[in-house]
């Protein structure tokens, strides 16, 4: 592993961003007329294979990217304006079509679902990692497996990288592509943050994103595995609130599902100063309190003998559904009804005719703000990504070059951004990696 001849480019991390950086670097080096034997590109990867996270992405199906124009991808995937601005050049210069074209060179075909998420036709993350491996081979990229970088030094314009296993490498240009800190079993234990700090960078503390919520009192076992469709989810603490619209899944420890994953970053922030955060679900997000009250009154007047739980069982909660609109796609799950009645202080077999005004108001309150519980923890290690990372102001968004150390490039989840669920995080890793690899070669050529 030791060699004192400087490599042209060393990339630390063989994940989505590191592999994209390596392939982009070779394409650019070829284009600039560098002979392959004179332009050495090496990936140092601590695992025994590349693309560990790609293989498990999207539940093993790998949601590669999201369809749409780059502008749409940015707006849908990155709510934080500062992060959206930072990613603009990268996402415009290596787009969703570019990554799909690249993978198609290896015969990988992909298709977009109705919700815009793009998956391999075979719905297999391993096929994406395999395609990358083959592209790396074609590009004559040398991969040093089982090589965990311990220290990085920058002296007299050269980088020296030392390994935990012993030995060191020198390089003219260095790309840090070590990922975030979630799912540490895939190799992402925050090494890159430490390495960047040693080189003079600052970081914001990593925090969870796209993570489940663990509740102080986990949901009843009868609810685990049940989903609420299209609800309005709210997290509330004394310092503020966060809201999302979407599906919520009850789990044994708390809550998951798209709306929960999306809100988790905000909930973690609401809890930052040891604050209590309560989460609730609006089961009728398309209906104001007044409209819902009118509907309950109408039911009381027209169907006095009907049991309220029967009404709830049949009652569509989808937008427009309650009032006979076109988009009926769900009802309140039967298992939840006993809990709604209990929270509203109503007996299970009460009929509309015997519902008091107080009872109706209680029911209304529970339907509009069903208490899901108090959040105990947003587990950082369980997040699909981690927020926080190397400060964006210290990296040039047009090249991904460090503003602190010339010749150092940073890309992927290591940086202080986090995208929404839907293929946006892999796309951001591919795009920032591609930009970093191309820029590093361009700089060497100048
Ligand atoms: C369960 C799960 C599901 C996901 N599903 C999706 C999805 O469907 N769609 C989507 O867009 N995103 C998804 N993501 C997020 C996405 O996988 C990541 O955002 C993306 O892989 C980040 O790419 P990266 O290159 O920055 O980091 P990574 O892909 O994590 O790569 C970092 C690499 O660096 C290596 N490394 C770290 N430290 C060292 C060191 N000291 N020396 C050498 N090597 C080192 C690691 O071993 C790793 O291989 C998912 C994440 C998880 C955990």
């Amino acid at each position: 592993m030791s060699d004192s001849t400087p490599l042209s480019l060393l990339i630390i991390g063989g994940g989505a961003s590191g592999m994209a950086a390596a392939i982009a670097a070779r394409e650019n080096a070829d284009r600039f007329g560098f002979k392959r034997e004179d332009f050495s590109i090496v990936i140092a990867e601590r695992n025994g294979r590349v693309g560990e996270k790609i293989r498990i992405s999207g539940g093993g199906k790998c949601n590669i990217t999201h369809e749409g124009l780059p502008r749409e991808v940015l707006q849908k995937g990155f709510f934080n304006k500062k992060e959206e601005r930072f990613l603009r050049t990268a996402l415009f210069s290596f787009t969703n079509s570019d990554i799909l074209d690249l993978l198609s060179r290896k015969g990988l075909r992909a298709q977009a679902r109705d919700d815009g998420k793009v998956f391999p036709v075979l719905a297999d993350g391993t096929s994406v990692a395999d395609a990358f491996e083959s592209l790396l081979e074609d590009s004559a990229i040398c991969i040093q497996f089982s090589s965990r970088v311990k220290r990085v030094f920058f002296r007299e314009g050269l980088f020296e990288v030392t390994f935990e296993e012993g030995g060191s490498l020198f390089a003219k240009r260095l790309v840090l592509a070590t990922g975030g800190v979630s799912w540490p079993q895939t190799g992402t234990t925050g090494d890159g943050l430490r390495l960047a700090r040693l080189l003079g960078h600052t970081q914001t503390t990593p925090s969870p994103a796209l993570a489940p919520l663990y509740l102080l009192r986990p949901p009843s076992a009868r609810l685990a595995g049940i989903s609420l469709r299209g609800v309005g989810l709210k997290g509330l603490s004394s310092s503020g609130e966060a809201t999302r619209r979407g599906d919520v899944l009850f789990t044994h420890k708390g809550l998951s599902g798209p709306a929960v994953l999306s809100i988790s970053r905000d909930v973690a922030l609401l809890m930052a100063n040891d604050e209590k955060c309560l989460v609730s679900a609006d089961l009728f997000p398309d209906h104001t309190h007044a409209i819902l009250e009118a509907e309950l009154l109408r039911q009381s007047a027209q169907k006095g003998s009907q049991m309220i739980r029967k009404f709830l069982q049949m009652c569509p909660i989808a937008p427009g559904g309650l009032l006979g609109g076109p988009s009926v796609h769900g009802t309140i799950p039967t298992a939840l009804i006993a809990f709604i009645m209990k929270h509203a202080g109503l007996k299970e077999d009460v009929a509309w005719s015997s519902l008091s005004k107080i009872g109706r108001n209680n029911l209304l309150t529970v339907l509009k703000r069903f208490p899901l519980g108090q959040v105990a923890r947003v587990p950082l290690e369980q997040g699909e990504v981690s927020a926080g990372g190397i400060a964006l102001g210290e990296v040039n968004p047009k090249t991904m070059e460090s503003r602190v150390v010339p010749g150092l490039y940073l890309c992927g989840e290591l940086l202080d951004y986090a995208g929404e669920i839907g293929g946006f995080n892999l796309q951001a890793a591919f795009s920032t990696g591609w930009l970093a690899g191309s820029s590093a070669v361009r700089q060497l050529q100048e």
Side-chain angles (χ1 to χ4, degrees), residues 280-434:
S280 61
D282 180 349
L283 304 177
F284 293 83
D286 289 322
H287 308 296
T288 61
H289 204 275
I291 291 179
L292 190 57
E293 182 172 28
E295 178 63 18
L296 297 191
L297 280 167
R298 198 172 63 82
Q299 285 292 326
S300 292
Q302 290 179 358
K303 299 196 175 154
S305 61
Q306 184 191 42
M307 278 199 277
I308 294 173
R309 76 177 149 82
K310 281 274 171 229
F311 162 78
L312 292 175
Q313 226 163 343
M314 293 179 310
C315 186
I317 62 167
L322 176 70
L323 302 178
S327 58
V328 179
H329 78 246
T331 54
I332 298 174
T334 309
L336 192 73
I337 289 170
F339 294 90
I340 294 177
M341 302 295 281
K342 189 170 152 222
H343 281 298
L346 301 176
K347 291 209 177 92
E348 280 234 24
D349 55 356
V350 69
W352 288 112
S353 54
S354 34
L355 185 66
S356 65
K357 186 170 177 202
I358 293 176
R360 192 174 62 244
N361 282 341
N362 287 348
L363 180 60
L364 259 173
T365 305
V366 172
L367 293 176
K368 287 298 283 176
R369 211 170 53 229
F370 182 81
L372 295 166
Q374 183 182 337
V375 182
R377 194 163 84 82
V378 190
L380 174 62
E381 70 288 355
Q382 289 292 317
E384 285 201 2
V385 290
S386 49
I390 299 303
L392 298 183
E394 296 175 359
V395 179
N396 180 345
K398 302 241 179 299
T399 58
M400 295 293 139
E401 188 180 8
S402 160
R403 295 192 203 270
V404 178
V405 183
L408 171 70
Y409 293 79
L410 303 104
C411 54
E413 214 184 299
L414 170 72
L415 297 169
D416 181 12
Y417 72 79
E420 285 297 306
I421 206 154
F424 302 104
N425 287 295
L426 278 174
Q427 180 63 53
F430 296 137
S431 297
T432 54
W434 194 270

Side-chain angles (χ1 to χ4, degrees), residues 12-18 44-47 49-54 56-59 62-65 119 147-150 163 177-180 182-183 186-192 194-195 383-385 411-414 417 420 422-427 429:
I12 308 180
S17 63
E45 168 54 56
R46 65 185 282 188
N47 292 328
R49 58 183 187 175
V50 289
E52 208 59 72
K53 235 173 216 174
I54 290 181
I56 57 159
S57 280
C62 192
N63 178 192
I64 311 167
T65 184
F119 289 86
S147 304
R148 183 176 185 182
V149 173
K150 194 167 79 174
F163 293 91
T178 48
S182 73
W183 283 64
T186 62
T188 46
T189 47
D191 289 9
R194 188 178 50 77
L195 298 174
E384 285 201 2
V385 290
C411 54
E413 214 184 299
L414 170 72
Y417 72 79
E420 285 297 306
F424 302 104
N425 287 295
L426 278 174
Q427 180 63 53

Side-chain angles (χ1 to χ4, degrees), residues 137-289:
E137 203 180 318
D138 293 352
S139 305
I141 309 294
C142 168
I143 309 172
Q144 286 201 181
F145 291 109
S146 309
S147 304
R148 183 176 185 182
V149 173
K150 194 167 79 174
R151 300 287 301 263
V152 179
F153 305 93
F154 181 63
R155 295 186 202 106
E156 294 163 20
L158 272 190
F159 293 92
E160 182 187 359
V161 166
T162 64
F163 293 91
E164 200 171 76
E165 299 76 11
S168 59
L169 285 175
F170 291 84
K172 294 179 192 161
R173 295 289 177 272
L174 184 70
V175 176
L176 264 185
T178 48
V181 299
S182 73
W183 283 64
Q185 63 274 37
T186 62
T188 46
T189 47
D191 289 9
L193 295 171
R194 188 178 50 77
L195 298 174
R197 272 201 318 271
L198 287 174
L199 289 167
H201 273 281
T202 52
Q203 66 168 86
T204 52
T205 314
S207 60
L210 303 186
L213 301 181
Y214 290 171
L215 297 178
L216 226 48
R217 286 189 57 198
S220 149
R222 273 181 291 157
L223 289 177
I226 282 169
S227 288
L228 300 176
R229 308 279 301 274
V231 295
L233 183 67
K234 182 185 274 189
L236 185 68
S237 80
S238 54
S239 62
E241 66 174 53
T243 55
R244 287 293 188 283
R245 178 77 187 265
D247 297 354
V248 170
L249 172 74
F250 290 100
T251 67
H252 288 287
K253 289 186 175 173
L255 306 168
S256 190
V260 172
L261 298 183
S262 176
I263 208 173
S264 62
R265 183 180 182 183
D266 294 347
V267 167
L269 285 176
L270 289 173
M271 293 173 69
N273 301 319
D274 279 340
E275 282 191 41
K276 189 166 133 178
C277 181
L278 298 172
V279 274
S280 61
D282 180 349
L283 304 177
F284 293 83
D286 289 322
H287 308 296
T288 61
H289 204 275

